């Protein structure tokens, strides 16, 4: 038995890796730049100049902390033209642009020349000081100088982020005309000429053929995935040791925010699954035992209809009917406790007593989702078993009906209902989002819902990964239960 | 008895069995009704009249394109006004004769005199052609009420039918394509039956890798460019990419024939079944709703993307059924006859085996449509994935949840979802019983 369980656990490891890979792939494809989001969340207020110096440093530290200065994965499959040091470029949009340019030209050296000449131009532009210019040429107004200088800076910024030939040409034109109109920008002329020259170099020295040859580069364990999953042994502990990263909303570690919520969601789904089994097994036995009777037919139809009722409709209907001052105001509308009365120092019993009215409607909705499904499976399984020879034998040898059904038939008819435990488990987790949102239960579902509304990707990914892992555990439990109940499965 | 009939066919038998189930038959008729509503939604619910006579001109506004603009002249030839069809309030024109659509409101148009949840039987206001605000005439009554910004619920439901049926059709179309092909390959070849020389096997794997590299890696920018120009262009570029992948794989398979080394040409079997079964297991072990929600959170909000995601996460059931059916069918005489005649595997699979194994797969597709509709309405209910300006049953129900006084926004959309799902489930179950009497419970 132990050996069997161990074997099952071993086969789950590749699955866990696959789930972690999937969530990682989704997370690196999330739109936006995490560093920008986080530094915004940290709330750097202040003037633009104050920010540029201080926040640049903060951003760099953040980038390092998040591991964004590392390659993405252990290895990468690219083409021969692509640079294997591209990941060192800090800005996400610059990175994408450089990648696209490399694809166009096929010559990474030319691309990097172009990029560095652009950066030089940007630096030169930052040294243009409007106040000095105005001091030298009193005929100019500070505003108009600032405006042209900013316009020029904007064009540089967009050149850094675009690879589209037409747009690039347009930007060059604009910069030319800005230079012609504003003599005071003439310091930038040489740098701009250099940019244009390197830009042409992209196509003169193009080695397009290189983009048609695949290349694999190996980065070793210093990469983002490794850091995310296993940590680096220093400040990051890694997902497997319970470090899920930082929330974009308030820069707090996600693990601190989430554990309590996982507990709420998990206990609600366990209670409801337990209740669903408790109700559906007797119903299934009864209707299988009285097969084709009026009661069975009626019950089958009702179950079938219940099975097609979406749980969010049921939940909303329950609210409409039982938690609505217009109809019956039996239950509170939302939450799991009344913050005005609730006292965290209460004993467990008091807490429970206080919470029960809040939990009745959600638990009904939760339970209902799996109960119709389970009853139908139980009934079919029981009918199948009752027609077997050994049941006839049991009856023939004179056993009472109760004993035949409950002792001989029940155990075998439980098999299919146990296998679906694994199917119900993810259903309960997925379904919990909708139900928790309807009843405003502060669990994992509401958390993921809110993080979607706020684009808090680390949180979404964490919930996804955790649920995937929990589902795997559900499968494991189902498999082991199956082995316990079914004598035909050998443990060896 | 029926077996003695010379014209006996399995299709006829199954249909006869299906017809015996009265509830399922009613469901089938209801499904036809839903399809009818979906097809003709713009003529059932539209705030432009179907036929209108204005100043002596005969117009068919509902059938014209929305942005059409007409200059109207009266009988004497004097210019009256310019009508731009989509922004004209046709209710306030002085029409000499008019035929309105059964529901004279469009799904997105807001009736500003009946904002703030006008109840179906409550007081509703109307501005007539003289510009007076009066009690609503029964023709223009919002028979199922309105929502907070004055959109007609009945019209929303009619147009929601379109979305729901489309979700079922598109997403299960994708899922069936993937599921049937993978299931057929896994079931037909199993782990041992697909044999090829070792060199060919490795060349094929390498060819797939190279194909993916040239088809998708190399064409990354072409693809994203095409998709940014429109979903049609994107699909064409996608097809080209898939073509490239297949072509290059084929090329490498051909190349492998050139190498003639004995050890390399030894036959090895390809564990097709293991590949597919592991894939199914993996996808099944991820909570599907959560996966869909997570993906929709990082991509653009679009109803098409939602459909595609539902499709590519929903093929496992279909693949399992197809696989099981192929496992059974591959040992039957007609498949063996096809093989012994020297037909290629592809021809045997798709021309001979597949048509005979589709029946149980059909059942799983029908159940799949029900669950696709359920997932889409769940997403719209949460307001995730589906853009806000698209009226769906789920989004209407969500409006009701936020304002429990508007019970009509809960009951009617909820019933629409419930009835549609029931119809599909009923049809699926009845056809399962009809197609395979053994399974009947």
């Amino acid at each position: 038995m132990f050996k069997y369980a161990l074997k099952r656990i071993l086969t789950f490891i590749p699955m866990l890796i696959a789930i972690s890979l999937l969530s990682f792939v989704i997370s690196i494809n999330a739109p936006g730049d995490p560093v920008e989001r986080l530094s915004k969340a940290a709330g750097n207020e202040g003037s633009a100049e104050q920010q540029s110096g201080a926040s640049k440093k903060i951003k760099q530290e953040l980038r390092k902390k998040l591991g964004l200065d590392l390659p993405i994965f252990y290895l990468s499959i690219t083409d021969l033209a692509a640079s294997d040091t591209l990941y060192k470029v800090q800005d996400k949009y610059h990175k994408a642009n450089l990648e696209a340019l490399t694809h166009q030209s096929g010559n990474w050296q030319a691309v990097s020349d172009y990029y560095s000449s652009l950066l030089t131009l940007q630096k030169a532009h930052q040294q243009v000081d409007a106040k000095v210019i105005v001091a030298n040429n009193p005929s100019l107004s500070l505003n108009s100088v600032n405006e042209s200088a900013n316009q020029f800076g904007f064009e540089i910024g967009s050149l850094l982020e675009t690879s589209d030939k037409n747009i690039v040409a347009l930007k060059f034109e604009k910069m030319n005309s800005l230079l012609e109109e504003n003599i005071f920008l003439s310091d930038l002329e040489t740098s701009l000429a250099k940019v244009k020259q390197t830009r042409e170099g992209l196509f003169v020295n193009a080695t397009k053929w290189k983009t048609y040859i695949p290349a694999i580069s190996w980065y070793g364990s210093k990469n983002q995935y490794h850091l995310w999953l296993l940590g680096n042994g220093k400040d990051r502990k890694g997902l497997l040791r319970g470090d899920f990263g930082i929330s974009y909303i308030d820069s707090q570690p996600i693990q601190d925010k989430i554990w309590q919520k996982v507990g709420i969601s998990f206990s609600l789904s366990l209670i409801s699954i337990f209740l669903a089994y408790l109700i559906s097994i007797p119903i299934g036995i009864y209707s299988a035992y009285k097969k084709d009777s009026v009661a069975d037919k009626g019950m089958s139809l009702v179950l079938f209809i219940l099975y097609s009722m979406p749980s969010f409709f049921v939940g909303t209907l329950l609210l409409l009917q039982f938690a609505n001052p217009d109809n019956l105001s039996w239950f509170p509308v939302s939450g799991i406790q009344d913050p005005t009365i609730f006292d965290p120092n209460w004993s467990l019993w008091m807490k429970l007593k206080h919470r029960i009215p809040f939990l009745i409607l959600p638990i009904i909705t939760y339970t209902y989702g799996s109960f119709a499904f389970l009853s139908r499976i139980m009934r079919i399984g029981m009918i199948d078993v009752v027609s077997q020879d050994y049941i006839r034998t049991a009856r023939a040898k004179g056993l009472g009906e109760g004993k035949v059904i409950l002792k001989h038939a029940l155990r075998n008819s439980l098999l299919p209902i146990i296998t679906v435990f694994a199917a119900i488990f993810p259903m309960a987790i997925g379904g919990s989002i909708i139900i928790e949102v309807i009843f405003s239960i502060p669990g994992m579902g509401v958390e993921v819902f809110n993080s979607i509304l706020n684009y808090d990707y680390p949180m979404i990914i964490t919930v996804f990964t955790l649920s995937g892992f929990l589902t795997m555990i559900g499968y494991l439990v189902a498999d082991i239960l199956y082995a316990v109940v079914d004598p035909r499965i050998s443990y060896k | 008895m029926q077996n003695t009939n010379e014209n006996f066919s399995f299709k006829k038998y199954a249909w006869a069995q299906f017809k015996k189930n009265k509830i399922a038959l009613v469901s089938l008729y209801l499904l036809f009704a839903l399809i009818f509503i979906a097809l003709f939604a713009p003529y059932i619910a539209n705030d432009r009249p179907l036929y209108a006579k204005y100043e002596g001109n005969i117009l068919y506004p509902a059938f014209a394109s929305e942005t059409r603009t007409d200059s109207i002249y009266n009988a004497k030839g004097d210019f009256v006004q310019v009508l731009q069809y989509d922004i004209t309030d046709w209710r306030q024109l002085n029409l000499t004769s008019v035929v309105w659509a059964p529901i004279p409101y469009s799904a997105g148009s807001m009736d500003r005199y009946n904002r703030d949840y006008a109840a179906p039987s409550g007081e509703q206001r109307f501005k007539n052609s003289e510009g007076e605000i009066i009690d609503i005439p029964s023709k223009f009554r919002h028979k199922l009420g309105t929502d907070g910004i004055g959109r007609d619920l009945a019209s929303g439901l009619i147009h929601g039918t379109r979305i729901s049926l489309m979700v079922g059709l598109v997403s299960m179309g994708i899922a069936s394509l993937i599921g049937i092909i993978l299931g057929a390959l896994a079931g037909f070849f199993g782990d041992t039956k697909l044999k090829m020389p070792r060199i060919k096997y490795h060349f094929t794997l390498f060819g797939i890798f190279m194909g993916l590299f040239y088809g998708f890696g190399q064409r990354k920018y072409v693809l994203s460019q095409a998709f940014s120009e429109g979903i049609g262009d994107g699909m064409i570029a996608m097809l080209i990419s898939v073509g490239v992948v297949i072509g290059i794989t084929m090329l490498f398979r051909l190349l492998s024939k050139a190498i003639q080394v004995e050890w390399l040409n030894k036959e090895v079997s390809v564990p097709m079944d293991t590949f597919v079964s592991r894939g199914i297991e993996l996808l099944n072990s991820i909570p599907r709703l959560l996966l869909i929600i997570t993906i929709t959170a990082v991509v653009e909000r679009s109803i098409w993307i939602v459909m595609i995601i539902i499709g590519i996460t929903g093929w496992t059931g279909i693949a399992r059924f197809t696989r099981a059916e192929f496992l059974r069918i591959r040992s039957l005489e007609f498949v063996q006859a096809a093989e012994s005649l020297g037909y290629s595997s592809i021809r045997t699979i798709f021309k001979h085996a597949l048509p005979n194994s589709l029946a149980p797969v059909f059942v799983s597709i029908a159940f799949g449509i029900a669950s696709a509709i359920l997932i889409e309405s769940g997403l719209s209910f949460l307001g995730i994935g589906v853009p806000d300006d698209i009226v769906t049953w789920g989004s209407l129900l969500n409006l009701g949840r936020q304002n429990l006084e508007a019970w009509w926004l809960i009951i009617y959309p909820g019933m629409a979802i419930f009835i549609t799902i029931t119809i599909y489930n009923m049809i699926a179950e009845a056809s399962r019983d009809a197609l395979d009497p053994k399974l009947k419970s």
Side-chain angles (χ1 to χ4, degrees), chain A residues 15 18 31 99-100 103 211-212 304-305 308 310 312-313 320 326 376 430 433 449 452 464 467 471-472 475, chain B residues 214 218 220-221 281-282 284-285 287 289-291 293 298 374 382 397 404-405 410 414 418 422 425-426 429:
Chain A
M15 293 289 193
E99 218 180 320
H103 183 79
T211 63
Y212 290 102
F304 190 82
I305 288 171
S308 303
F312 52 84
F313 183 36
L320 178 68
D326 292 350
R376 282 164 56 79
I433 298 178
F449 179 68
I452 286 171
F464 176 67
S467 319
T471 312
M472 303 301 291
Y475 271 88
Chain B
Y214 287 113
Q218 241 290 319
K220 192 165 80 179
Y221 295 99
E281 222 170 273
L282 176 66
N284 277 345
S285 68
L289 188 62
L290 203 63
L291 175 65
I293 286 178
V298 300
L374 184 66
L382 291 174
L397 184 56
L404 288 179
E405 279 108 70
I410 298 172
F418 164 58
T422 313
N425 279 339
M426 286 281 180
E429 185 144 291

Side-chain angles (χ1 to χ4, degrees), chain B residues 418-434:
Chain B
F418 164 58
I419 289 171
T420 311
I421 292 175
T422 313
I423 286 174
Y424 277 112
N425 279 339
M426 286 281 180
I427 293 175
E429 185 144 291
S431 31
R432 182 176 58 193
D433 294 345

Side-chain angles (χ1 to χ4, degrees), chain A residues 36-46 51 249 251:
Chain A
E36 295 294 330
R37 288 294 308 273
L38 275 172
S39 53
K40 232 178 239 164
N44 292 310
E45 300 290 326
Q51 264 195 14
I249 300 177
S251 305

Side-chain angles (χ1 to χ4, degrees), chain A residues 388-420:
Chain A
Q388 301 273 326
D389 286 343
Y390 68 87
I391 297 294
R392 200 180 311 142
T393 315
R395 282 195 179 125
K397 75 181 181 189
L399 276 184
E401 263 315 286
K403 216 166 185 185
V404 171
I405 295 293
L406 294 180
K407 195 160 175 221
H408 290 257
L410 183 61
R411 194 173 171 200
N412 281 311
S413 62
L414 282 180
L415 291 180
I417 208 170
I418 285 172
T419 42
V420 296

Side-chain angles (χ1 to χ4, degrees), chain A residues 26-60:
Chain A
I26 295 175
S27 76
I28 57 168
N29 281 311
D33 188 345
V35 175
E36 295 294 330
R37 288 294 308 273
L38 275 172
S39 53
K40 232 178 239 164
N44 292 310
E45 300 290 326
S47 74
E49 273 154 67
Q50 269 179 339
Q51 264 195 14
S52 60
S55 79
K56 213 170 188 180
K57 210 171 165 204
I58 295 174
K59 279 181 191 169
Q60 228 157 29

Side-chain angles (χ1 to χ4, degrees), chain B residues 35 38 86 103 116 118 138 142 249 312 315 318 325 360 366 383 386:
Chain B
I35 293 172
D86 53 345
I103 297 163
D116 285 336
S138 67
H142 297 278
T249 313
I312 52 182
W315 54 269
I318 297 170
E325 197 61 13
V386 183

